[in-house]
Amino acid sequence: MSAEIVNPRSDSDTGTDQGNGTESLASGGPLDTFDPAFALHRGGKMAVEATVPVRDKDDLSLAYTPGVAKVCTAIAEQPELVYDYTWKSNVVAVVTDGTAVLGLGDIGPEASLPVMEGKAILFKQFGGVDAVPIALDTTDTDEIIETVVRLAPSFGGVNLEDISAPRCFEIERRLQERLDIPIFHDDQHGTAIVTLAALRNAARLTGRALGELRAVISGAGAAGVAIAKMLVEAGIGDVSVADRKGIVSADRDDLTPVKRELASFTNKAGLSGSLESVLAGADVFIGVSGGTVPEPAVASMAKGAFVFAMANPNPEVHPDVAHKYAAVVATGRSDFPNQINNVLAFPGIFAGALSVRASRITEGMKLAAAEALAAVVGDDLAADYVIPSPFDARVAPAVTAAVAAAARAEGVARR
């Protein structure tokens, strides 16, 4: 993929001239005519473009046979040259099985493709990283792992996307055990990194340290588990995680292996009961589950609390309600301040990891990304600005540099 993403649609493909508008949904007529989202997606959002010219027989002989044989032979003799003489050094596979797509759930591989294409163009737009959407027609854990392992020689890294929990944890872990390229499940770690960055700045704004805060997370899925792990790594005072049955605690006998592990390093206070009950006196609410938190529960939180209600399109606590009680409010939506958006993290994380040919993405690299992201806000810190905009040109370079430096410091960089 070239330095620019090209949409192959011509003006005639935009659907603005569709006759009398009585075409079926399959033809795309009414959808393209009346909904700009469909018009934008017609033909897909990306295409492959050559980075070298093939204008004549001399170009052809270099780009293909016989010239390509020299490069192939050199790589066969020195496999590491693949990073210098192919696109591997700057390309990521965006892999999904379509089981946990946005707020849509299990919609299957074909229906997930618009999201995967979107992810790929965000990689390019914000991080300069090429990415290829790969939607797999299987939900079997072993089959997904085996498929990605066999595809891996073509890619410098793998971004796992919209794979449901708890399978996503095992898939990421086993792929990283078998491959020596970065494996990153963005629904887990991207969300956690941006959340930590925003929380660091919220604490700084109110003159508190992370170690003084007690947080409550609503949701024990991929994002909730990863956020809890990252907050503990960063030194949070305490964090409790709630699932549909209440607080995840060691005394429950209905926990999955993932939740048993979660209980082992969270909830130092030994709290139990409902989400609403443990919010009393809490400093931080982090919502990654959907549903609605009653206003009295929000009102029971500590003075100067932080409410990060990130469910889309409907936050667990509406900002109008949250602002009555909280010093800092964040959501997952772009139409409110302080959007917790993964695009702030994943392009720079992969750009940094790929730039040093990292063999994996470590916890230290994730923490470095969060610190760099928080630092971008700088002296402009305010209640409605604890996290920068995705369109802030400083974000990706800052995250890239921090991740690359952390990879070198942790010994996983190979250049």
Side-chain angles (χ1 to χ4, degrees):
M1 204 173 299
S2 69
E4 300 208 354
I5 290 178
V6 178
N7 193 315
R9 299 167 314 194
S10 65
D11 290 341
S12 62
D13 285 332
T14 60
T16 56
D17 183 10
Q18 295 289 337
N20 60 13
T22 60
E23 295 86 344
S24 68
L25 289 180
S27 74
L31 297 178
D32 280 15
T33 301
F34 299 112
D35 191 324
F38 282 91
L40 183 142
H41 282 77
R42 176 170 280 276
K45 298 191 292 288
M46 58 186 293
V48 174
E49 184 181 64
T51 61
V52 298
V54 184
R55 300 161 299 196
D56 52 36
K57 65 181 181 64
D58 292 332
D59 289 344
L60 182 60
S61 69
L62 288 173
Y64 199 52
T65 185
V68 73
K70 298 178 183 179
V71 181
C72 293
T73 301
I75 294 172
E77 294 173 352
Q78 300 181 61
E80 68 274 10
L81 292 178
V82 69
Y83 285 96
D84 296 310
Y85 295 106
T86 73
W87 76 342
K88 184 180 176 82
S89 63
N90 196 54
V91 67
V92 169
V94 179
V95 177
T96 190
D97 63 357
T99 55
V101 181
L102 299 176
L104 305 174
D106 185 355
I107 60 174
E110 288 90 350
S112 76
L113 270 176
V115 176
M116 301 310 118
E117 288 184 3
K119 196 82 172 190
I121 67 173
L122 295 180
F123 265 111
K124 192 64 176 182
Q125 176 74 24
F126 294 103
V129 174
D130 293 316
V132 178
I134 298 176
L136 301 179
D137 188 16
T138 178
T139 60
D140 181 85
T141 296
D142 291 334
E143 289 182 355
I144 291 171
I145 292 167
E146 293 303 322
T147 302
V148 174
V149 167
R150 282 157 177 74
L151 289 170
S154 295
F155 299 99
V158 175
N159 184 94
L160 300 172
E161 189 75 18
D162 294 343
I163 298 173
S164 63
R167 295 174 310 120
C168 60
F169 302 112
E170 180 181 357
I171 290 169
E172 182 188 41
R173 175 182 58 78
R174 287 173 57 188
L175 282 174
Q176 191 62 84
E177 289 172 353
R178 293 185 60 178
L179 299 173
D180 64 349
I181 58 176
I183 310 295
F184 186 81
H185 184 210
D186 186 52
D187 301 303
Q188 293 184 60
H189 312 302
T191 303
I193 288 164
V194 182
T195 300
L196 175 58
L199 186 58
R200 282 191 182 281
N201 276 338
R204 179 164 70 94
L205 178 70
T206 56
R208 288 178 281 180
L210 286 179
E212 300 174 34
L213 303 177
R214 178 170 74 85
V216 177
I217 299 173
S218 174
V225 171
I227 292 169
K229 286 182 178 179
M230 180 154 283
L231 293 186
V232 170
E233 288 276 347
I236 192 81
D238 196 8
V239 56
S240 303
V241 183
D243 62 10
R244 291 183 180 88
K245 297 182 179 180
I247 297 301
V248 175
S249 57
D251 60 354
R252 281 177 46 180
D253 59 6
D254 60 345
L255 300 181
T256 64
V258 169
K259 291 180 183 179
R260 281 198 296 272
E261 180 190 3
L262 181 64
S264 72
F265 64 83
T266 61
N267 194 20
K268 292 187 294 186
L271 302 175
S272 60
S274 67
L275 168 71
E276 290 82 0
S277 67
V278 299
L279 274 178
D283 303 291
V284 184
F285 169 76
I286 297 171
V288 285
S289 66
T292 301
V293 178
E295 183 171 346
V298 181
S300 74
M301 295 178 68
K303 184 178 180 180
F306 312 141
V307 172
F308 293 2
M310 298 186 287
N312 268 315
N314 299 311
E316 294 89 347
V317 182
H318 193 278
D320 292 343
V321 173
H323 278 297
K324 294 180 184 179
Y325 312 102
V328 177
V329 177
T331 72
R333 289 174 47 156
S334 60
D335 53 347
F336 292 107
N338 296 328
Q339 183 191 19
I340 307 296
N341 191 330
N342 290 14
V343 76
L344 288 162
F346 68 80
I349 288 168
F350 269 100
L354 293 174
S355 71
V356 296
R357 297 181 188 171
S359 59
R360 63 184 58 245
I361 295 172
T362 65
E363 292 303 312
M365 292 161 73
K366 297 170 197 172
L367 289 170
E371 291 168 5
L373 182 55
V376 170
V377 170
D379 294 337
D380 295 323
L381 181 64
D384 61 355
Y385 185 58
V386 297
I387 200 74
S389 163
F391 296 98
D392 188 324
R394 299 171 296 170
V395 167
V399 174
T400 298
V403 168
R408 292 191 178 99
E410 299 207 338
V412 297
R414 291 178 287 196
R415 62 174 293 178

